[in-house]
Amino acid sequence: MPQRPFSADVRVNASFWLLVLLAAIVSPLTVVAAILTAAALHELGHLAAMRYYGVSVKRFRITALGAELDAPALARLPYGRELIITLAGVTVNLFCAILLALLGLRTWREWCFVFAGAHLVLAAFNLLPVVPLDGARALCLALSFFLGPATGERITAAVSLACSLALCALGLKLSLGLHSGWLFAFASFGLLWGTLRQLGLARGAKSV
């Protein structure tokens, strides 16, 4: 009998609760609920695609940067199928954003636009070519298909590190010029740490 895709060990990192706490302090509860809902549907998109292709998840770890899935069977899938799984979460976010925006235009309910905006922001964030985000994985799969896995991973690592450093520089600049810029700086440095950890450049880094 095949292993069930959703019978995974689920863990929640402390960084996730810290992010929720910071968001609740600086943002209305509607915005926090919109972000959490968009994030949950994003991950369900990944899991639904994995279940469709029969990929089981051993460990599901929720962090401030999203969910980290330990699914060894992914490495045995063709590039095309893994790319579909990688972009499934963003696809769900974009689909929900369109539906909510149309509903908002029809009913003129403000919460529809708030939730639609959360889906769009999360989709755009995850498409950044920065490890461990979906955009970086999609870039690596595309490069690996044309140039080979080793070259694809090297180029993706270089692009990811460069983008992370650029975002940190932008975050520092915004924190000096805007009252709320520190939040962007905090997120940028958190993303840089996630990048260094995934690339094995951070102290104590472990592959997931």
Side-chain angles (χ1 to χ4, degrees), residues 79-164:
Y79 286 125
R81 291 187 177 184
E82 187 175 352
L83 183 61
I84 290 174
I85 293 174
T86 299
L87 297 179
V90 170
T91 302
V92 169
N93 287 139
L94 293 176
F95 181 74
C96 290
I98 293 172
L99 288 181
L100 287 165
L102 291 175
L103 180 61
L105 290 173
R106 186 177 180 87
T107 62
W108 291 105
R109 293 182 179 179
E110 183 180 355
W111 67 267
C112 291
F113 297 107
V114 174
F115 276 71
H119 279 283
L120 284 176
V121 169
L122 188 63
F125 174 74
N126 273 281
L127 286 175
L128 291 173
V130 178
V131 175
L133 302 180
D134 297 335
R137 186 56 190 164
L139 175 64
C140 184
L141 289 171
L143 291 173
S144 298
F145 178 78
F146 291 104
L147 304 176
T151 302
E153 290 178 3
R154 284 197 299 269
I155 295 176
T156 301
V159 171
S160 178
L161 190 57
C163 289
S164 295

Side-chain angles (χ1 to χ4, degrees), residues 21-39:
L21 177 61
L22 289 174
I25 292 173
V26 303
S27 304
L29 291 180
T30 304
V31 174
V32 177
I35 294 173
L36 292 177
T37 302

